[in-house]
Amino acid sequence: MARKSATGRIGIADVAVKAGVSHATVSRVMNGNFTVDPDIAARVRAAAVELKYQPNPVGRSLALGKTDTIGIVVPDLANPTFQAILRGLSRAAAEDGYRVLIADSFEVSSEEAILAGEARRRCDGLVLCAPRMSDAELEEIAPSLHPLVLINRTTAAAGIPSLVVDYGQGVQDLAEHLVGLGHTRLAFLAGPAGSASNGLRLEGLEAFKARHPQVDVTMLDGGSDFDTGHGAVDSVLASGATGILAFNDLVAMGLMSGLHERGVDVPGDISVTGFDDIPFARYTTPTLTTAAVPIAELGGQAWRELRALIRKEDHDAPGGRYQPRLEIRASSGPAKAPRTATHG
Amino acid sequence: MARKSATGRIGIADVAVKAGVSHATVSRVMNGNFTVDPDIAARVRAAAVELKYQPNPVGRSLALGKTDTIGIVVPDLANPTFQAILRGLSRAAAEDGYRVLIADSFEVSSEEAILAGEARRRCDGLVLCAPRMSDAELEEIAPSLHPLVLINRTTAAAGIPSLVVDYGQGVQDLAEHLVGLGHTRLAFLAGPAGSASNGLRLEGLEAFKARHPQVDVTMLDGGSDFDTGHGAVDSVLASGATGILAFNDLVAMGLMSGLHERGVDVPGDISVTGFDDIPFARYTTPTLTTAAVPIAELGGQAWRELRALIRKEDHDAPGGRYQPRLEIRASSGPAKAPRTATHG
DNA sequence: CTGAAAGCGCTAACAG
DNA sequence: CTGTTAGCGCTTTCAG
């Protein structure tokens, strides 16, 4: 009786026969179309409730040409930064009745374009988060992904809002902070080579070096996680630097942990700074000096940009630039007497 | 020429006319049906490539009655535990060509059921993560959500696999560990009142108390985040306990941070244990003794259970129970001379 | 081996 | 105000 449709689930047709009307009328009632006679509407609603009818979103999507779903592509869901963006995005989108489909590329940049395309086709719009693909590839696929919002990446392709954090400014602020504390030998523990945000940090450091030729800045290879920082203790000590700019908070925490194991006092012997101000940063020992990125807000803003694109709204200020805020805590302090390199 | 369909995007019909065949044939070729003449198939493929044709998944979903998407409902996407489950689930599902739709209930338990229903209708199956709704409600809606997999929650409804972590055993192991170090006054910093996993911990502690009547176990109200731990310093000190079982690692870290600010030495004065073994736990100062939950594996297993349900496979061992593993680090140590309560 | 046609569940013109 | 009809884009019988 109730379940007659092929899928075995209750469809609009079941409600229609039960209420003794056409499915068009049922559709009207379900969509709040008030051109329906109140009595009939009530009968339809009663039938719907009785059958526990819920419209099938797939049929609806096909008819309307929209899915009420957006996609987000991230390079690594394990990264707190992307988690925070996802959360902000999800929350903001949910308020407008949109769901979020996630696609994790697991840092495999060769799969990113295909992944993005697939995700896009299932959704009404896409957020591409710090894609690792080349500029050329990004520019090539960007138009086919529209509506598209980019985070921490820009492209020459037209009509693509881009939300970027000014990592270059942030790292300069941190470096200035250390110099203000008397440090003259700094080291930068870099992030992943392909990372655009690492590139922005490097540019910022170049500007800093131009302004402070007397300060020695050593570049050290790195990565983006705890283990990177923990494993960098030797090279950090060998550099002779007293102020260490870690790629991000995770790296900084790993480094502090490694230094602690060696009996090196932070900030007594060495000052350490992070980047991002993840929630954990204020609970490390010592608490971490870092540059705070309003990351959840970024996710929310990404949704607003995307929403404007989906609604084809006119859009005066597409994209935006986010300034990190210096967050001075206990992991940075006055420079000690200069140390000498201790190789081997 | 190319784009003639109503949506403005290239559809199967465009490829069909370009290749001079019917859309049925295009469909066959796109789906790797080998009953198509090789020459025609080649022509179709060439047309598809030239037009950059990508099948519309919505139309496909409607025809096939499946979306190749699963949903996950979590109470709070900010919680590292749920993030890890999401990651494990997403990774495992992706390997089988499935995408993940997320639904964050933001701890609003009244919205959970509706959210779950909506998510389910867009997907081929659902993972409900530690739902906060009542047992009665869960049991009522569970059948309508099938295929459904439950995490850290069980239900009497039939055919619902349930993956649960044995928090009761874990907390007992931690308590035994502390007692083995000579602690006789313990305190449990509880989690959110509605949390099922908190209930399991409480049951475990009851069993522990029955076994160790000489040990004093104080119950303290709490929560599940840093601030809970940080704010609990006073009540912890007032309890006079020397061994503190925190609800989870986050709470433990907040507590350690607060104790450090008061000059209380961990583990010299007070031993602290967490729960979960989140990645940060091995990098705190001191490193955190905790009970490790194989959480990413849980996400992967959730997918396998769900996949079996979706494929209607016979399924000998639905669900499973995960035993936490004691991870002894530096935040727990021998008990000092007994302290006295220092109220006020 | 291929095309015509039906149908997945829904919405929206268009008649009446 | 309501029913009929025609799609949305795709898969899949069913003839040929």
Side-chain angles (χ1 to χ4, degrees):
Chain A
M1 354 290 187
R3 31 190 65 221
K4 30 153 57 175
S5 82
T7 57
R9 304 192 61 184
I10 292 155
I12 197 169
D14 304 284
V15 182
V17 305
K18 175 142 199 132
V21 297
S22 70
H23 33 266
T25 298
V26 177
S27 173
R28 283 191 264 261
V29 173
M30 297 308 290
N31 293 311
N33 188 328
F34 289 111
T35 70
V36 179
D37 181 285
D39 289 352
I40 299 195
R43 217 164 68 217
V44 169
R45 257 187 286 274
V49 168
E50 196 168 343
L51 295 176
K52 292 198 215 301
Y53 167 68
Q54 303 287 134
N56 178 335
V58 179
R60 202 155 192 281
S61 291
L62 188 58
L64 293 176
K66 65 187 201 115
T67 61
D68 291 339
T69 301
I70 59 170
I72 178 171
V73 181
V74 296
D76 177 15
L77 206 45
N79 186 319
T81 299
F82 301 136
Q83 289 168 356
I85 291 175
L86 168 62
R87 191 149 28 92
L89 183 75
S90 165
R91 159 160 248 153
E95 283 172 9
D96 288 314
Y98 277 72
R99 314 272 162 267
V100 176
L101 190 77
I102 59 170
D104 188 339
S105 73
F106 299 104
E107 296 278 7
V108 185
S109 63
S110 58
E111 295 290 323
E112 250 179 353
I114 303 115
L115 208 61
E118 282 188 352
R120 174 60 187 84
R121 258 170 280 123
R122 298 177 183 280
C123 301
D124 298 343
L126 198 64
V127 175
L128 252 181
C129 225
R132 307 301 201 216
M133 68 185 74
S134 70
D135 281 339
E137 190 174 14
L138 179 57
E139 190 171 341
E140 187 191 333
I141 67 167
S144 74
L145 263 24
H146 195 272
L148 208 214
V149 170
L150 243 34
I151 291 184
N152 275 341
R153 193 74 189 267
T154 57
T155 179
I160 317 282
S162 194
L163 268 32
V164 302
V165 174
D166 195 341
Y167 291 101
Q169 185 61 52
V171 81
Q172 287 181 68
D173 291 349
L174 288 165
E176 294 284 358
H177 164 65
L178 290 177
V179 167
L181 288 168
H183 295 270
T184 55
R185 303 190 66 175
L186 306 184
F188 175 60
L189 210 47
S195 155
S197 78
N198 188 55
L200 291 174
R201 287 172 175 86
L202 291 175
E203 286 172 20
L205 283 176
E206 287 308 314
F208 170 83
K209 279 153 76 174
R211 247 189 349 266
H212 296 273
Q214 83 288 3
V215 175
D216 184 47
V217 184
T218 307
M219 296 295 170
L220 301 172
D221 286 344
S224 62
D225 56 14
F226 274 121
D227 295 335
T228 295
H230 197 259
V233 175
D234 284 330
S235 54
V236 162
L237 291 176
S239 75
T242 61
I244 316 297
L245 300 154
F247 175 68
N248 64 18
D249 292 345
L250 263 51
V251 173
M253 289 169 73
L255 175 62
M256 289 205 299
S257 163
L259 290 172
H260 185 254
E261 288 167 13
R262 295 294 183 82
V264 179
D265 185 51
V266 175
D269 298 319
I270 292 187
S271 288
V272 174
T273 64
F275 209 115
D276 289 344
D277 195 26
I278 63 177
F280 290 82
R282 45 164 50 82
Y283 294 98
T284 56
T285 317
T287 58
L288 185 64
T289 293
T290 189
V293 175
I295 199 74
E297 188 189 321
L298 224 159
Q301 188 57 31
W303 164 242
R304 268 165 254 128
E305 299 276 355
L306 194 54
R307 183 182 57 188
L309 251 34
I310 291 173
R311 295 181 179 168
K312 299 189 174 65
E313 285 170 357
D314 270 339
H315 198 39
D316 4 357
R321 194 171 190 81
Y322 288 78
Q323 294 305 324
R325 182 174 35 80
L326 202 56
E327 201 64 67
I328 298 172
R329 300 209 182 93
S331 68
S332 56
K336 259 175 75 168
R339 299 165 57 249
T340 46
T342 54
H343 267 285
Chain B
M1 359 282 188
R3 29 192 67 220
K4 32 155 56 175
S5 83
T7 57
R9 303 191 63 181
I10 292 157
I12 197 169
D14 303 284
V15 181
V17 305
K18 174 141 200 133
V21 296
S22 70
H23 32 264
T25 298
V26 176
S27 173
R28 282 191 264 263
V29 173
M30 296 309 288
N31 292 310
N33 188 328
F34 290 111
T35 72
V36 179
D37 180 286
D39 290 352
I40 297 193
R43 217 164 69 217
V44 168
R45 258 186 285 274
V49 168
E50 196 169 343
L51 295 176
K52 293 199 214 299
Y53 167 67
Q54 302 288 135
N56 178 334
V58 179
R60 203 157 192 280
S61 291
L62 187 57
L64 294 176
K66 65 188 199 112
T67 62
D68 291 339
T69 301
I70 60 170
I72 179 171
V73 181
V74 295
D76 177 16
L77 206 45
N79 187 317
T81 300
F82 301 135
Q83 288 167 357
I85 292 174
L86 168 62
R87 193 148 29 93
L89 182 75
S90 165
R91 158 160 249 152
E95 283 172 9
D96 287 313
Y98 277 73
R99 315 269 162 269
V100 177
L101 192 77
I102 59 172
D104 188 338
S105 74
F106 299 105
E107 296 278 7
V108 184
S109 62
S110 58
E111 295 290 325
E112 253 179 351
I114 303 116
L115 209 60
E118 282 188 354
R120 174 62 188 82
R121 258 170 281 123
R122 298 177 183 278
C123 300
D124 299 342
L126 198 65
V127 174
L128 252 182
C129 224
R132 308 299 201 219
M133 68 185 74
S134 70
D135 281 339
E137 189 174 14
L138 179 58
E139 189 172 342
E140 186 191 332
I141 67 166
S144 74
L145 263 23
H146 194 273
L148 206 215
V149 170
L150 244 34
I151 291 185
N152 276 341
R153 193 72 190 266
T154 57
T155 179
I160 316 282
S162 196
L163 267 32
V164 301
V165 174
D166 195 341
Y167 291 101
Q169 185 60 53
V171 81
Q172 286 181 68
D173 292 348
L174 288 165
E176 295 284 359
H177 164 66
L178 290 176
V179 167
L181 288 168
H183 295 270
T184 55
R185 304 190 67 173
L186 305 183
F188 175 61
L189 209 48
S195 156
S197 78
N198 189 55
L200 291 174
R201 287 173 175 85
L202 291 175
E203 286 172 21
L205 283 176
E206 287 309 314
F208 171 83
K209 278 153 76 174
R211 246 189 351 266
H212 296 274
Q214 83 288 3
V215 176
D216 184 46
V217 184
T218 308
M219 296 296 171
L220 300 172
D221 286 344
S224 62
D225 57 13
F226 274 120
D227 294 335
T228 296
H230 197 260
V233 174
D234 284 331
S235 53
V236 161
L237 291 176
S239 75
T242 62
I244 315 299
L245 300 154
F247 174 67
N248 64 18
D249 292 345
L250 263 51
V251 173
M253 289 168 73
L255 175 62
M256 290 206 297
S257 164
L259 290 172
H260 184 254
E261 288 166 12
R262 295 294 182 82
V264 179
D265 185 52
V266 176
D269 298 321
I270 291 187
S271 288
V272 174
T273 65
F275 210 115
D276 289 343
D277 195 26
I278 62 177
F280 290 83
R282 45 164 49 82
Y283 294 98
T284 56
T285 315
T287 58
L288 186 62
T289 293
T290 189
V293 175
I295 199 76
E297 188 190 321
L298 224 159
Q301 188 56 33
W303 165 241
R304 267 165 254 128
E305 299 276 356
L306 193 55
R307 183 183 57 189
L309 252 35
I310 291 173
R311 296 181 179 168
K312 299 189 173 68
E313 285 169 0
D314 271 340
H315 197 40
D316 2 359
R321 194 170 191 80
Y322 288 78
Q323 295 304 325
R325 181 175 35 81
L326 202 57
E327 202 64 66
I328 299 174
R329 300 208 183 94
S331 69
S332 57
K336 260 174 78 168
R339 299 164 59 248
T340 46
T342 53
H343 268 284

